Amino acid sequence: MKVSNISITVFCHETEDKNKIISSLTDFFGNILNTAEISETTVEGHFGNSISIIEYKLSDRSAKELADKIFNSLDNADLIFLLSTLDQRIDKNKLHLRIDKQRLIVEKKLTIKDSDDIIKIVMNFKRKVTDELKEELKQIANRNLRS
């Protein structure tokens, strides 16, 4: 599976501790994020509150390493959920994931969450990889069952 690049987008509301969120990401993903191109934008929310949008962009080997870390960190319930919803998450050669931000911060665990308060991850592949990705996710789930 050829991952060409990945973007991770985090929304930090002014009521949240931005440093704690960034620290949680760095702690979880480790040195992989050291090679990321990082940008930050501040926007005004619907109720006039300040929201920082932090985006990490990785490509080539770092993107592949990050994709492996993400898929291998999901538990079997999330892998099965991802497999069952994969067709809705793929747009051409892009896979869209939404990760529970609070669970990452509090429990240091990646969990798929399709609602608010998330970390958005977009993986770009060199070509459409739906069937190949399904097989790889099944292999990871099977490995997890055996260990």
Side-chain angles (χ1 to χ4, degrees):
M1 188 172 52
K2 297 281 187 178
V3 180
S4 58
N5 62 66
I6 295 179
S7 69
I8 299 174
T9 306
V10 185
F11 300 88
C12 301
H13 297 266
E14 66 183 325
T15 56
E16 297 178 305
D17 183 346
K18 181 171 65 172
N19 292 328
K20 186 175 184 178
I21 295 168
I22 292 169
S23 177
S24 294
L25 275 171
T26 305
D27 289 348
F28 189 85
F29 291 115
N31 293 333
I32 302 169
L33 291 184
N34 289 346
T35 61
E37 175 187 319
I38 304 169
S39 63
E40 184 174 344
T41 308
T42 302
V43 297
E44 185 175 310
H46 181 72
F47 297 104
N49 56 317
S50 177
I51 302 171
S52 294
I53 303 170
I54 303 166
E55 185 172 26
Y56 297 81
K57 292 184 180 182
L58 294 103
S59 56
D60 303 321
R61 188 192 307 176
S62 296
K64 170 74 171 116
E65 198 176 328
L66 183 63
D68 290 343
K69 172 79 173 175
I70 291 167
F71 293 139
N72 286 298
S73 296
L74 294 172
D75 65 20
N76 272 9
D78 278 316
L79 286 169
I80 291 166
F81 179 64
L82 179 56
L83 278 165
S84 68
T85 59
L86 196 60
D87 291 331
Q88 292 91 14
R89 295 176 187 282
I90 291 185
D91 177 27
K92 296 181 184 169
N93 63 334
K94 293 181 181 182
L95 171 64
H96 298 266
L97 298 174
R98 296 164 62 95
I99 302 297
D100 187 327
K101 180 171 60 174
Q102 295 306 318
R103 196 139 187 216
L104 178 67
I105 293 167
V106 174
E107 299 177 29
K108 308 222 180 307
K109 181 173 175 34
L110 283 191
T111 305
I112 294 176
K113 181 179 181 183
D114 285 335
S115 58
D116 294 332
D117 204 19
I118 53 97
I119 296 169
K120 180 179 164 188
I121 299 174
V122 178
M123 296 183 188
N124 291 290
F125 298 92
K126 297 192 187 295
R127 63 186 184 333
K128 191 169 181 177
V129 293
T130 308
D131 293 333
E132 189 178 338
L133 186 55
K134 282 181 184 177
E135 281 308 309
E136 186 167 329
L137 293 172
K138 285 177 188 175
Q139 288 175 7
I140 294 168
N142 285 333
R143 253 194 326 258
N144 290 349
L145 286 174
R146 286 187 221 128
S147 45

CSV table of all heavy atoms in Angstrom, one decimal, residues 39-76:
chain,number,residue,atom,x,y,z
A,39,SER,N,1.5,23.6,10.5
A,39,SER,CA,0.9,25.0,10.3
A,39,SER,C,-0.2,25.2,11.3
A,39,SER,O,-0.8,24.2,11.8
A,39,SER,CB,0.4,25.2,8.9
A,39,SER,OG,-0.7,24.3,8.7
A,40,GLU,N,-0.4,26.4,11.7
A,40,GLU,CA,-1.4,26.8,12.7
A,40,GLU,C,-2.2,28.0,12.2
A,40,GLU,O,-1.6,29.0,11.8
A,40,GLU,CB,-0.8,27.0,14.1
A,40,GLU,CG,-1.9,27.3,15.1
A,40,GLU,CD,-1.3,27.4,16.5
A,40,GLU,OE1,-0.1,27.0,16.8
A,40,GLU,OE2,-2.0,27.9,17.4
A,41,THR,N,-3.5,27.9,12.3
A,41,THR,CA,-4.4,29.0,11.9
A,41,THR,C,-5.3,29.2,13.0
A,41,THR,O,-5.8,28.3,13.7
A,41,THR,CB,-5.2,28.6,10.6
A,41,THR,OG1,-4.3,28.2,9.6
A,41,THR,CG2,-6.0,29.8,10.1
A,42,THR,N,-5.7,30.5,13.3
A,42,THR,CA,-6.7,30.8,14.3
A,42,THR,C,-7.9,31.4,13.6
A,42,THR,O,-7.8,32.2,12.8
A,42,THR,CB,-6.1,31.8,15.3
A,42,THR,OG1,-5.0,31.2,15.9
A,42,THR,CG2,-7.2,32.1,16.4
A,43,VAL,N,-9.1,30.8,13.9
A,43,VAL,CA,-10.3,31.2,13.3
A,43,VAL,C,-11.3,31.6,14.5
A,43,VAL,O,-11.1,31.2,15.6
A,43,VAL,CB,-10.9,30.2,12.4
A,43,VAL,CG1,-10.0,29.9,11.2
A,43,VAL,CG2,-11.2,28.9,13.1
A,44,GLU,N,-12.4,32.2,14.1
A,44,GLU,CA,-13.4,32.6,15.1
A,44,GLU,C,-14.6,31.6,14.9
A,44,GLU,O,-15.0,31.3,13.8
A,44,GLU,CB,-13.9,34.0,14.9
A,44,GLU,CG,-14.9,34.4,15.9
A,44,GLU,CD,-15.3,35.9,15.7
A,44,GLU,OE1,-14.4,36.8,15.6
A,44,GLU,OE2,-16.5,36.2,15.7
A,45,GLY,N,-15.0,31.0,16.0
A,45,GLY,CA,-16.1,30.0,16.0
A,45,GLY,C,-17.4,30.7,15.9
A,45,GLY,O,-17.5,31.9,15.9
A,46,HIS,N,-18.4,29.9,15.9
A,46,HIS,CA,-19.8,30.4,15.7
A,46,HIS,C,-20.2,31.3,16.8
A,46,HIS,O,-21.0,32.3,16.5
A,46,HIS,CB,-20.8,29.2,15.6
A,46,HIS,CG,-22.2,29.5,15.4
A,46,HIS,ND1,-22.7,30.0,14.2
A,46,HIS,CD2,-23.3,29.5,16.3
A,46,HIS,CE1,-24.0,30.2,14.3
A,46,HIS,NE2,-24.3,29.9,15.6
A,47,PHE,N,-19.8,31.1,18.0
A,47,PHE,CA,-20.2,31.9,19.1
A,47,PHE,C,-19.1,33.0,19.5
A,47,PHE,O,-19.1,33.5,20.6
A,47,PHE,CB,-20.5,31.1,20.4
A,47,PHE,CG,-21.7,30.2,20.1
A,47,PHE,CD1,-21.4,28.8,19.9
A,47,PHE,CD2,-22.9,30.6,20.1
A,47,PHE,CE1,-22.5,28.0,19.7
A,47,PHE,CE2,-24.0,29.8,19.8
A,47,PHE,CZ,-23.8,28.5,19.6
A,48,GLY,N,-18.2,33.2,18.5
A,48,GLY,CA,-17.2,34.3,18.8
A,48,GLY,C,-15.9,33.7,19.5
A,48,GLY,O,-15.0,34.5,19.8
A,49,ASN,N,-15.9,32.5,19.8
A,49,ASN,CA,-14.8,31.9,20.5
A,49,ASN,C,-13.6,31.6,19.5
A,49,ASN,O,-13.8,31.5,18.3
A,49,ASN,CB,-15.1,30.6,21.1
A,49,ASN,CG,-15.7,29.6,20.2
A,49,ASN,OD1,-16.6,29.9,19.3
A,49,ASN,ND2,-15.3,28.3,20.3
A,50,SER,N,-12.4,31.6,20.0
A,50,SER,CA,-11.2,31.4,19.2
A,50,SER,C,-10.9,29.9,19.1
A,50,SER,O,-11.0,29.2,20.1
A,50,SER,CB,-10.0,32.1,19.9
A,50,SER,OG,-8.8,31.9,19.2
A,51,ILE,N,-10.6,29.5,17.9
A,51,ILE,CA,-10.3,28.1,17.6
A,51,ILE,C,-9.0,28.0,16.8
A,51,ILE,O,-8.8,28.7,15.8
A,51,ILE,CB,-11.4,27.4,16.7
A,51,ILE,CG1,-12.7,27.4,17.5
A,51,ILE,CG2,-11.0,25.9,16.4
A,51,ILE,CD1,-13.9,27.0,16.6
A,52,SER,N,-8.0,27.3,17.4
A,52,SER,CA,-6.7,27.1,16.7
A,52,SER,C,-6.8,25.8,15.9
A,52,SER,O,-7.3,24.8,16.4
A,52,SER,CB,-5.6,27.0,17.7
A,52,SER,OG,-5.4,28.2,18.4
A,53,ILE,N,-6.5,25.9,14.6
A,53,ILE,CA,-6.5,24.7,13.8
A,53,ILE,C,-5.0,24.4,13.5
A,53,ILE,O,-4.3,25.2,12.9
A,53,ILE,CB,-7.2,25.0,12.4
A,53,ILE,CG1,-8.7,25.4,12.7
A,53,ILE,CG2,-7.2,23.7,11.6
A,53,ILE,CD1,-9.4,25.9,11.5
A,54,ILE,N,-4.6,23.2,14.0
A,54,ILE,CA,-3.2,22.8,13.8
A,54,ILE,C,-3.1,21.7,12.8
A,54,ILE,O,-3.9,20.7,13.0
A,54,ILE,CB,-2.6,22.4,15.2
A,54,ILE,CG1,-2.7,23.6,16.2
A,54,ILE,CG2,-1.1,22.0,15.0
A,54,ILE,CD1,-2.4,23.1,17.6
A,55,GLU,N,-2.3,21.8,11.8
A,55,GLU,CA,-2.2,20.8,10.8
A,55,GLU,C,-0.8,20.3,10.7
A,55,GLU,O,0.2,21.0,10.6
A,55,GLU,CB,-2.7,21.3,9.5
A,55,GLU,CG,-2.8,20.2,8.4
A,55,GLU,CD,-3.4,20.6,7.1
A,55,GLU,OE1,-3.4,21.8,6.8
A,55,GLU,OE2,-3.9,19.7,6.4
A,56,TYR,N,-0.7,18.9,10.7
A,56,TYR,CA,0.6,18.3,10.5
A,56,TYR,C,0.5,17.6,9.2
A,56,TYR,O,-0.4,16.9,8.9
A,56,TYR,CB,0.8,17.2,11.6
A,56,TYR,CG,0.9,17.6,13.0
A,56,TYR,CD1,-0.2,17.9,13.7
A,56,TYR,CD2,2.2,17.8,13.6
A,56,TYR,CE1,-0.1,18.4,15.0
A,56,TYR,CE2,2.2,18.2,14.9
A,56,TYR,CZ,1.1,18.5,15.6
A,56,TYR,OH,1.2,19.0,16.9
A,57,LYS,N,1.6,17.8,8.3
A,57,LYS,CA,1.6,17.1,7.0
A,57,LYS,C,2.9,16.3,6.9
A,57,LYS,O,4.0,16.8,7.2
A,57,LYS,CB,1.6,18.1,5.9
A,57,LYS,CG,0.3,18.9,5.8
A,57,LYS,CD,0.2,19.8,4.6
A,57,LYS,CE,-1.1,20.5,4.5
A,57,LYS,NZ,-1.1,21.4,3.3
A,58,LEU,N,2.7,15.0,6.6
A,58,LEU,CA,3.9,14.1,6.4
A,58,LEU,C,3.8,13.5,5.0
A,58,LEU,O,2.7,13.3,4.5
A,58,LEU,CB,3.8,13.0,7.5
A,58,LEU,CG,4.0,13.5,8.9
A,58,LEU,CD1,2.7,13.5,9.6
A,58,LEU,CD2,5.0,12.6,9.6
A,59,SER,N,4.9,13.2,4.5
A,59,SER,CA,4.9,12.5,3.2
A,59,SER,C,6.0,11.4,3.1
A,59,SER,O,6.8,11.2,4.1
A,59,SER,CB,5.2,13.5,2.1
A,59,SER,OG,6.4,14.2,2.3
A,60,ASP,N,5.9,10.6,2.1
A,60,ASP,CA,6.8,9.5,1.8
A,60,ASP,C,6.9,8.5,2.9
A,60,ASP,O,6.0,8.0,3.4
A,60,ASP,CB,8.2,10.1,1.3
A,60,ASP,CG,8.0,11.0,0.1
A,60,ASP,OD1,7.2,10.6,-0.8
A,60,ASP,OD2,8.7,12.0,0.1
A,61,ARG,N,8.2,8.2,3.4
A,61,ARG,CA,8.4,7.2,4.4
A,61,ARG,C,7.7,7.6,5.7
A,61,ARG,O,7.2,6.7,6.4
A,61,ARG,CB,9.9,7.0,4.6
A,61,ARG,CG,10.1,5.8,5.5
A,61,ARG,CD,11.5,5.7,6.0
A,61,ARG,NE,12.6,5.7,5.0
A,61,ARG,CZ,13.8,5.6,5.3
A,61,ARG,NH1,14.2,5.6,6.6
A,61,ARG,NH2,14.8,5.6,4.4
A,62,SER,N,7.8,8.8,6.1
A,62,SER,CA,7.1,9.2,7.3
A,62,SER,C,5.6,9.0,7.3
A,62,SER,O,5.0,8.6,8.3
A,62,SER,CB,7.4,10.7,7.6
A,62,SER,OG,8.8,10.9,7.8
A,63,ALA,N,5.0,9.2,6.1
A,63,ALA,CA,3.6,9.0,6.0
A,63,ALA,C,3.3,7.5,6.1
A,63,ALA,O,2.3,7.1,6.8
A,63,ALA,CB,3.1,9.5,4.6
A,64,LYS,N,4.1,6.7,5.5
A,64,LYS,CA,3.9,5.2,5.6
A,64,LYS,C,4.1,4.7,7.0
A,64,LYS,O,3.3,3.9,7.5
A,64,LYS,CB,4.9,4.5,4.7
A,64,LYS,CG,5.0,3.0,4.8
A,64,LYS,CD,3.8,2.3,4.2
A,64,LYS,CE,4.1,0.8,4.2
A,64,LYS,NZ,3.1,0.1,5.0
A,65,GLU,N,5.1,5.3,7.7
A,65,GLU,CA,5.3,4.9,9.1
A,65,GLU,C,4.1,5.3,10.0
A,65,GLU,O,3.7,4.6,10.9
A,65,GLU,CB,6.6,5.6,9.6
A,65,GLU,CG,7.2,5.0,10.8
A,65,GLU,CD,8.6,5.7,11.1
A,65,GLU,OE1,9.3,6.2,10.2
A,65,GLU,OE2,8.9,5.8,12.3
A,66,LEU,N,3.6,6.5,9.7
A,66,LEU,CA,2.5,7.0,10.5
A,66,LEU,C,1.2,6.2,10.2
A,66,LEU,O,0.5,5.8,11.2
A,66,LEU,CB,2.2,8.5,10.2
A,66,LEU,CG,1.1,9.1,11.0
A,66,LEU,CD1,1.4,9.1,12.5
A,66,LEU,CD2,0.8,10.6,10.5
A,67,ALA,N,1.0,5.8,9.0
A,67,ALA,CA,-0.2,5.0,8.6
A,67,ALA,C,-0.1,3.6,9.3
A,67,ALA,O,-1.1,3.2,9.9
A,67,ALA,CB,-0.3,4.8,7.1
A,68,ASP,N,1.1,3.0,9.3
A,68,ASP,CA,1.3,1.8,10.0
A,68,ASP,C,1.0,1.9,11.5
A,68,ASP,O,0.3,1.1,12.1
A,68,ASP,CB,2.7,1.3,9.9
A,68,ASP,CG,3.0,0.8,8.4
A,68,ASP,OD1,2.0,0.5,7.7
A,68,ASP,OD2,4.2,0.6,8.1
A,69,LYS,N,1.5,3.0,12.1
A,69,LYS,CA,1.2,3.3,13.6
A,69,LYS,C,-0.3,3.4,13.8
A,69,LYS,O,-0.8,2.8,14.8
A,69,LYS,CB,2.0,4.5,14.0
A,69,LYS,CG,1.7,5.0,15.4
A,69,LYS,CD,2.4,4.2,16.4
A,69,LYS,CE,2.2,4.9,17.8
A,69,LYS,NZ,2.8,4.1,18.9
A,70,ILE,N,-1.0,4.1,13.0
A,70,ILE,CA,-2.4,4.3,13.2
A,70,ILE,C,-3.1,3.0,13.1
A,70,ILE,O,-3.9,2.7,14.0
A,70,ILE,CB,-2.9,5.4,12.1
A,70,ILE,CG1,-2.4,6.8,12.5
A,70,ILE,CG2,-4.5,5.4,12.1
A,70,ILE,CD1,-2.6,7.8,11.4
A,71,PHE,N,-2.9,2.3,12.0
A,71,PHE,CA,-3.7,1.0,11.8
A,71,PHE,C,-3.3,0.0,12.9
A,71,PHE,O,-4.2,-0.7,13.4
A,71,PHE,CB,-3.4,0.4,10.4
A,71,PHE,CG,-3.9,1.3,9.3
A,71,PHE,CD1,-3.2,1.4,8.2
A,71,PHE,CD2,-5.2,1.9,9.4
A,71,PHE,CE1,-3.7,2.2,7.1
A,71,PHE,CE2,-5.7,2.6,8.4
A,71,PHE,CZ,-5.0,2.8,7.2
A,72,ASN,N,-2.1,-0.1,13.3
A,72,ASN,CA,-1.7,-1.1,14.3
A,72,ASN,C,-2.1,-0.6,15.7
A,72,ASN,O,-2.1,-1.5,16.6
A,72,ASN,CB,-0.2,-1.3,14.3
A,72,ASN,CG,0.2,-2.2,13.1
A,72,ASN,OD1,-0.3,-3.3,13.0
A,72,ASN,ND2,1.0,-1.6,12.2
A,73,SER,N,-2.5,0.6,15.9
A,73,SER,CA,-2.9,1.1,17.2
A,73,SER,C,-4.4,0.9,17.5
A,73,SER,O,-4.9,1.1,18.6
A,73,SER,CB,-2.5,2.6,17.4
A,73,SER,OG,-1.1,2.7,17.4
A,74,LEU,N,-5.1,0.7,16.4
A,74,LEU,CA,-6.6,0.5,16.6
A,74,LEU,C,-6.9,-0.8,17.2
A,74,LEU,O,-6.2,-1.8,16.8
A,74,LEU,CB,-7.3,0.7,15.2
A,74,LEU,CG,-7.2,2.0,14.5
A,74,LEU,CD1,-7.8,2.0,13.1
A,74,LEU,CD2,-8.0,3.1,15.4
A,75,ASP,N,-7.9,-0.9,18.1
A,75,ASP,CA,-8.2,-2.2,18.6
A,75,ASP,C,-9.1,-2.9,17.6
A,75,ASP,O,-9.5,-2.4,16.6
A,75,ASP,CB,-8.9,-2.1,20.0
A,75,ASP,CG,-10.2,-1.4,20.0
A,75,ASP,OD1,-10.8,-1.3,19.0
A,75,ASP,OD2,-10.6,-1.0,21.1
A,76,ASN,N,-9.4,-4.2,17.8
A,76,ASN,CA,-10.2,-5.0,16.9
A,76,ASN,C,-11.6,-4.4,16.6
A,76,ASN,O,-12.0,-4.5,15.5
A,76,ASN,CB,-10.2,-6.5,17.3
A,76,ASN,CG,-9.0,-7.2,16.8
A,76,ASN,OD1,-8.1,-6.7,16.3
A,76,ASN,ND2,-9.1,-8.5,16.9
